[in-house]
Amino acid sequence: MRVNICAQKDSCCYKKGSESLKASRERFPELEIFESGCLGICKTVVAEIDGKLYSELTADSLAKLINEKLKG
């Protein structure tokens, strides 16, 4: 599974995205979790998981989503 989290420096999503990126890497060290440039949806935590965009996330809801994807 590949996860991209929008955390583009100097953008509106940088603070929340950076926090979610750090939390996700700590919770799921075995996954490929990358910092992404803008994914096109602003002022919210946005993640791309295996090519599909998810928005309006928090660090906790992102972790829940990743867990659901891992379970299949």
Side-chain angles (χ1 to χ4, degrees):
M1 174 185 300
R2 182 181 171 99
V3 179
N4 295 321
I5 299 174
C6 184
Q8 183 174 323
K9 231 178 186 134
D10 299 322
S11 73
C12 59
C13 63
Y14 179 72
K15 185 177 185 333
K16 288 181 181 179
S18 295
E19 291 168 359
S20 291
L21 180 68
K22 182 180 177 192
S24 296
R25 284 180 173 164
E26 289 173 0
R27 289 181 184 177
F28 304 101
E30 72 281 7
L31 296 181
E32 294 182 87
I33 299 177
F34 299 95
E35 178 179 334
S36 173
C38 183
L39 293 171
I41 305 170
C42 294
K43 297 184 181 174
T44 181
V45 174
V46 179
E48 179 183 16
I49 302 174
D50 290 337
K52 186 172 179 184
L53 284 178
Y54 298 87
S55 65
E56 311 235 354
L57 299 168
T58 64
D60 288 336
S61 65
L62 177 57
K64 183 178 177 183
L65 178 62
I66 291 171
N67 272 324
E68 289 172 4
K69 296 288 182 187
L70 287 172
K71 290 177 184 173

